[in-house]
Amino acid sequence: MPVPDTTPLVIAVLTFRRPDDLAAILPALVTQARSSTIPASVVVVDNDPAASARAFVTAQDPTMVRYVHEPEPGIAAARSRAMTEAGASRLLVFIDDDERPTEGWLNHLLATQRRTGAAAVVGPVISEYAHPPDPWISAGNFFTRRRMPTGTAVTVAATNNLLLDLEQVRHFGLAFDRRYGLLGGEDTLFTRRLSQQGGKIVWCNEAVVVDRVPANRLTRSWVLHRAFSSGNSWSRVSLELASTTVTRVLGRIRLVLAGLMRIAGGSARVVPGVVGRSLTWQARGARTVARGAGMVSGAIGYVYREYRRT
């Protein structure tokens, strides 16, 4: 078994059968680690049961890059393995293998954490298209994510651009829930629990990573399925965080009503959008309907498996 890392900071990139993306991101991460204001290294967690990334990763500079194999399917298992492999390191940074860090990305995260003492620091993701998207996709503006001033407190975060203070995470006794491994929402549950228990999560607007959106995601079907999945996982996580039977029942009712309101509101956009030939109204309305349907389904117990494997 590989020896856990001993550098103060570990950059973890999770991968699953994306050799081209891995070949592109690893040199960038090594550059970030070498220019870090504190000693840093990179760990690649290969979640492919066949360990397909082993040969490529182990051929990299062993003083900067380590390879670990996590055969248990699911992103929660891979993220848990990254936390284990960080060993006694104080800081752990997650980035996805299909993203690219911009100049100064890592040091911006570090500076914000030092200044705020936050348990987690999250940065923005900017999307670039692999090819021109369908006009419906462009009209919906679906791949434009939120931006906020640095230091803004948030209560939930994705893990595709996230720094964790592991000392605080360990203090709260937090871990990624492996039940969510093939479902999605493990990052929502983790960060909402962190915030709920008193851990501060702050935004760093300068720590940008670029996500290159592949052709298979630039479709109406993918956008609507993703919206449904997002709504479904939000409801499931909200019910998971309910502390008593009563709050869970009340939460289930609120989630159903909120989902139904989104379905109604989205439908109210789609119809006039079709009549007035507004792609923006049609696209945004359809996604709102899909998210609302996901919320209702999650509230009544349906589990959508976003990362199911065949």
Side-chain angles (χ1 to χ4, degrees):
M1 175 179 290
V3 178
D5 211 296
T6 57
T7 55
L9 183 150
V10 176
I11 306 170
V13 56
L14 282 49
T15 192
F16 177 74
R17 299 178 185 174
R18 285 178 173 171
D20 293 339
D21 282 326
L22 197 57
I25 193 175
L26 268 186
L29 294 182
V30 169
T31 298
Q32 295 277 339
R34 284 178 172 153
S35 63
S36 172
T37 55
I38 64 173
S41 62
V42 179
V43 62
V44 177
V45 181
D46 185 1
N47 199 214
D48 181 3
S52 57
R54 186 190 302 275
F56 173 77
V57 178
T58 54
Q60 308 304 308
D61 181 353
T63 66
M64 296 299 299
V65 180
R66 292 189 305 117
Y67 171 87
V68 295
H69 180 219
E70 177 48 63
E72 180 182 335
I75 195 166
R79 295 206 187 283
S80 296
R81 182 62 180 273
M83 290 179 65
T84 299
E85 293 297 327
S89 301
R90 173 66 185 266
L91 301 172
L92 174 65
V93 178
F94 282 113
I95 185 171
D96 286 355
D97 60 358
D98 57 352
E99 295 174 338
R100 307 293 176 262
T102 58
E103 185 176 355
W105 160 74
L106 182 60
N107 284 330
H108 284 308
L109 289 174
L110 281 170
T112 299
Q113 199 282 327
R114 280 196 297 265
R115 187 168 59 252
T116 63
V121 180
V122 59
V125 178
I126 296 176
S127 292
E128 292 182 350
Y129 301 135
H131 66 74
D134 181 289
W136 189 90
I137 301 290
S138 297
N141 207 25
F142 297 128
F143 292 95
T144 300
R145 299 172 175 88
R146 64 179 180 173
R147 300 289 295 269
M148 293 171 284
T150 295
T152 301
V154 298
T155 58
V156 63
T159 42
N160 54 352
N161 183 10
L162 183 73
L163 178 149
L164 293 176
D165 180 343
L166 292 179
E167 188 171 283
Q168 295 189 57
V169 169
R170 291 164 186 145
H171 171 74
F172 292 121
L174 292 175
F176 289 96
D177 194 325
R178 291 174 182 252
R179 293 175 302 158
Y180 284 70
L182 298 177
L183 311 180
E186 83 295 332
D187 48 0
T188 300
L189 179 59
F190 180 91
T191 54
R192 286 181 66 181
R193 274 179 171 161
L194 178 61
S195 178
Q196 191 178 69
Q197 294 185 35
K200 183 194 298 184
I201 307 175
V202 300
W203 184 264
C204 178
N205 203 44
E206 297 79 19
V208 177
V209 300
V210 177
D211 167 38
R212 188 163 175 79
V213 185
N216 64 354
R217 294 186 180 183
L218 294 173
T219 67
R220 302 184 188 195
S221 175
W222 189 91
V223 166
L224 296 178
H225 277 89
R226 187 58 178 261
F228 182 90
S229 174
S230 176
N232 184 267
S233 65
W234 181 263
S235 289
R236 289 187 288 101
V237 167
S238 297
L239 294 175
E240 184 81 31
L241 293 172
S243 56
T244 66
T245 301
V246 173
T247 56
R248 190 171 296 110
V249 170
L250 293 175
R252 198 180 300 275
I253 294 171
R254 282 194 294 268
L255 288 164
V256 168
L257 292 176
L260 290 175
M261 287 179 63
R262 280 174 171 77
I263 292 172
S267 299
R269 280 186 170 189
V270 171
V271 174
V274 172
V275 173
R277 297 184 179 180
S278 169
L279 273 182
T280 299
W281 279 42
Q282 292 177 45
R284 292 183 180 177
R287 188 176 69 164
T288 300
V289 170
R291 180 171 171 81
M295 290 178 67
V296 172
S297 69
I300 64 176
Y302 174 72
V303 176
Y304 181 77
R305 297 178 177 272
E306 182 174 4
Y307 299 107
R308 60 190 179 277
R309 299 180 183 179
T310 57

